[in-house]
């Protein structure tokens, strides 16, 4: 047969293939719209992509949970830091339970999202999201217990390094993923704390002319004291413009001291607002709390207390082990956990004795402050310290991964 004859036969085959669904439909009476010759459509209509997503997320979550339990050498130790037969058995059992729970969790979380999967990309994305959700759920459970006593690209992606891709799927890179989740949680606590401070500053500036602090701030020793922020700022501007203040008592030689006093007075005024003192320096009563205490500040403090309680373990495990940080951490944990059920009025208006790190002397002393002051101010050093440390750990791990991949 000549070349042209072969071409005609091939064209006829393709022509028949195009018309086959219609012909079959007319012969046996089946709707042609239901006849699909593409393998992708057959898989989608049969639920294969949905099943693949479920199995992928389940397997990924299960193995990552096992890795979390068994790859961390500290989890093989007992409370005294020693590896014993009992501690090994405990971690083996805990890893197995965690692995099964992770598999079920990952599959359950991906089930709804994968119900409409039509191709390999949909399957891969739904499985990845399910595994990620299971990882976050596991970390939330770990945080709760402490406070009270992934990608599967090998299924359809372009694999350039088989060993590395399998390692990622197994969860050998999971520590970075977990660090990033902890990083987000620590940042949530810090952001909630920052929102409180910004509201305190807004109230302070609004009342700068009419509000007096509960104690005056001295300039030049004990010679002159200021309790009103506008008054102090006005005198600072007078001296900047070549004049004297307080009847000639203060001159340009006192400018730096006055600017420092301004910062101290701002801090004092914000603490007064936080602790429920009105414009005249009188503390509000519990009976009038809801009407006399700023409503927006109440909402922000409630949000901060919730975040602090929810992620206290993240702050604890990432705080440096030095005296200042540990004292701050002790105060943060005590108020975030032990007093989380106190009403907001009690939390703001109740004063208690606590340990305070005095940076001037480098010693820990006993001081009396409100519960809210201890959480917002005393615990702030621990929050900042934890955020710095975890950010450094994330950056180090990213750099290490980049070095390994180069």
């Amino acid at each position: 047969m000549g070349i042209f004859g072969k071409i005609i036969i091939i064209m006829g085959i393709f022509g028949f293939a195009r018309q086959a669904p219609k012909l079959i439909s007319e012969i046996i009476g089946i709707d042609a719209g239901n006849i699909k010759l593409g393998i992708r459509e057959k898989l989608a209509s049969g639920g294969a992509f949905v099943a693949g997503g479920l199995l992928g997320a389940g397997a990924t979550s299960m193995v990552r949970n096992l890795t979390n339990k068994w790859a961390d050498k500290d989890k093989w130790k007992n409370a005294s830091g020693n590896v014993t037969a009992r501690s090994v058995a405990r971690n083996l059992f805990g890893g197995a339970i965690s692995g099964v729970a992770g598999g079920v969790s990952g599959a359950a979380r991906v089930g709804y999202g994968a119900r409409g999967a039509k191709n390999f990309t949909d399957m891969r994305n739904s499985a990845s999201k399910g595994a990620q959700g299971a990882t976050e759920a596991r970390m939330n459970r770990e945080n709760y217990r402490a406070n009270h006593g992934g990608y599967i690209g090998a299924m359809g992606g372009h694999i350039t390094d088989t060993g590395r891709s399998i390692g990622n799927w197994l969860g050998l890179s999971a520590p970075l993923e977990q660090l990033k989740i902890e990083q987000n949680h620590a940042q949530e606590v810090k952001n909630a704390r920052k929102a409180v401070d910004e509201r305190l500053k807004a109230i302070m500036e609004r009342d700068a002319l009419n509000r007096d602090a509960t104690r005056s701030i001295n300039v030049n020793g004990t010679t002159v004291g200021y309790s009103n922020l506008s008054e102090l700022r006005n005198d600072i501007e007078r001296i900047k413009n070549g004049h004297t203040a307080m009847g000639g008592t203060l001159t340009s030689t006192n400018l730096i001291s006055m600017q420092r006093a301004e910062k101290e007075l701002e801090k004092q005024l914000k603490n007064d607002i936080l602790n429920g003192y009105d414009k005249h320096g009188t503390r509000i009563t519990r009976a009038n709390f809801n009407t006399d205490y700023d409503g927006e500040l109440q909402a922000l403090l409630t949000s901060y207390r919730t975040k602090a309680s929810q992620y206290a373990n993240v702050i604890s495990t990432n705080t440096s082990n030095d005296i200042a940080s540990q004292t701050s951490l002790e105060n943060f944990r005590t108020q975030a956990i032990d007093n989380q059920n106190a009403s907001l009025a009690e939390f703001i208006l109740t004063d208690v004795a606590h340990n305070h790190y005095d940076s001037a002397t480098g010693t820990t002393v006993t001081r009396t402050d409100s519960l809210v002051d201890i959480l917002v101010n005393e615990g702030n050093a621990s929050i900042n310290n934890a955020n710095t440390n975890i950010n450094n750990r994330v950056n180090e791990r990213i750099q290490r991964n980049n070095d390994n991949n180069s």
Side-chain angles (χ1 to χ4, degrees):
M1 182 183 295
I3 185 65
F4 291 106
K6 293 180 180 178
I7 291 175
I8 292 173
I9 292 175
I10 292 172
M11 291 177 65
I13 293 173
F14 277 107
F16 175 79
R18 292 184 59 188
Q19 297 298 321
K22 183 178 179 181
L23 292 173
I24 295 172
S25 173
E26 293 175 351
I27 293 171
I28 64 177
I30 298 178
D31 184 5
N34 292 330
I35 299 179
K36 303 289 184 180
L37 297 181
I39 184 64
R40 184 176 65 183
E41 288 80 2
K42 288 182 178 179
L43 289 172
S45 63
F49 291 120
V50 177
L54 292 170
L55 292 173
T60 301
S61 301
M62 179 180 69
V63 179
R64 284 183 179 176
N65 276 18
L66 289 173
T67 303
N68 176 66
K69 283 287 185 181
W70 293 346
D72 187 345
K73 62 181 181 180
D74 290 332
K75 292 184 178 179
W76 296 95
K77 300 176 182 178
N78 60 18
S80 302
N82 300 316
V83 177
T84 64
R86 185 174 181 178
S87 67
V88 170
R90 183 192 66 239
N91 201 41
L92 285 172
F93 180 75
I97 295 298
S98 179
V100 173
V104 174
S105 176
R109 291 171 187 278
V110 81
Y112 184 81
R115 72 194 188 285
K118 301 298 184 183
N119 50 49
F120 283 105
T121 299
D122 292 344
M123 180 182 70
R124 184 171 64 248
N125 290 342
S126 62
S128 180
K129 290 179 181 178
Q132 175 72 11
T135 298
E136 293 198 23
R138 186 193 70 235
M139 293 191 67
N140 287 337
R141 292 193 300 270
E142 290 176 351
N143 285 334
Y144 183 87
R145 287 194 299 269
N147 291 342
H148 297 76
Y151 301 95
I152 59 169
M155 297 184 68
H158 299 284
I159 302 176
T160 57
D161 185 328
T162 303
R164 185 183 305 153
S165 296
I166 293 175
N168 289 340
W169 184 82
L170 287 174
L172 299 180
S173 63
L176 176 58
E177 179 181 306
Q178 294 167 21
L179 276 176
K180 287 184 176 180
I181 294 174
E182 288 189 16
Q183 183 183 42
N184 291 336
H185 291 169
Q187 189 64 46
E188 286 185 47
V189 176
K190 186 175 181 178
N191 289 344
R193 166 64 180 82
K194 182 179 179 181
V196 170
D197 190 67
E198 289 175 347
R199 182 56 186 169
L200 291 172
K201 183 177 180 180
I203 298 172
M204 177 197 72
E205 294 293 347
R206 182 193 67 193
D207 299 340
L209 183 64
N210 301 317
R211 178 182 287 272
D212 290 331
T214 53
R215 63 179 178 85
S216 61
I217 303 298
N218 295 316
V219 178
N220 195 25
T222 57
T223 305
V224 178
Y226 289 90
S227 61
N228 184 276
L229 188 57
S230 291
E231 180 183 345
L232 174 55
R233 288 174 174 173
N234 288 340
D235 281 351
I236 288 176
E237 288 303 312
R238 284 179 57 82
I239 291 178
K240 283 183 177 180
N241 292 323
H243 304 289
T244 60
M246 287 291 181
T249 303
L250 299 174
T251 65
S252 59
T253 58
N254 305 114
L255 181 58
I256 294 179
S257 296
M258 293 180 70
Q259 290 172 329
R260 289 173 179 168
E262 179 185 15
K263 299 302 180 184
E264 286 296 317
L265 184 54
E266 289 177 355
K267 181 179 178 181
Q268 175 63 28
L269 286 168
K270 286 193 293 185
N271 278 347
D272 287 349
I273 297 167
L274 179 68
N275 286 283
Y277 289 93
D278 63 19
K279 297 178 182 179
H280 309 293
T282 302
R283 205 167 193 182
I284 63 178
T285 63
R286 296 192 184 188
N288 297 327
F289 175 78
N290 288 331
T291 56
D292 292 351
Y293 199 87
D294 183 75
E296 184 175 342
L297 183 56
Q298 289 188 46
L300 291 172
L301 282 170
T302 299
S303 176
Y304 173 54
R305 291 179 71 192
T306 300
K307 294 293 184 184
S309 172
Q310 186 176 6
Y311 301 131
N313 188 52
V314 174
I315 302 299
S316 299
T317 55
N318 289 286
T319 300
S320 299
N321 190 28
D322 57 77
I323 297 176
S325 298
Q326 288 301 307
T327 302
S328 173
L329 177 61
E330 176 187 338
N331 289 317
F332 173 81
R333 284 184 59 84
T334 299
Q335 302 316 319
I337 301 170
D338 294 349
N339 293 296
Q340 59 181 295
N341 294 323
S343 68
L344 191 59
E346 292 175 314
F347 194 66
I348 292 171
L349 301 176
T350 301
D351 296 329
V352 296
H354 66 98
N355 291 329
H356 168 76
Y357 179 75
D358 187 346
S359 58
T361 61
T363 60
T364 301
V365 297
T366 300
R367 200 171 81 174
T368 300
D369 290 299
S370 71
L371 299 179
V372 69
D373 197 312
I374 295 172
L375 178 60
V376 172
N377 293 323
E378 292 290 318
N380 197 42
S382 179
I383 296 173
N384 291 334
N385 182 270
N387 272 271
T388 298
N389 289 337
I390 196 170
N391 289 339
N392 289 338
R393 290 174 63 197
V394 168
N395 291 334
E396 289 172 0
R397 182 56 61 88
I398 291 175
Q399 183 60 51
R400 188 187 311 167
N401 288 353
N402 290 339
D403 292 341
N404 291 336
N405 292 337
S406 61

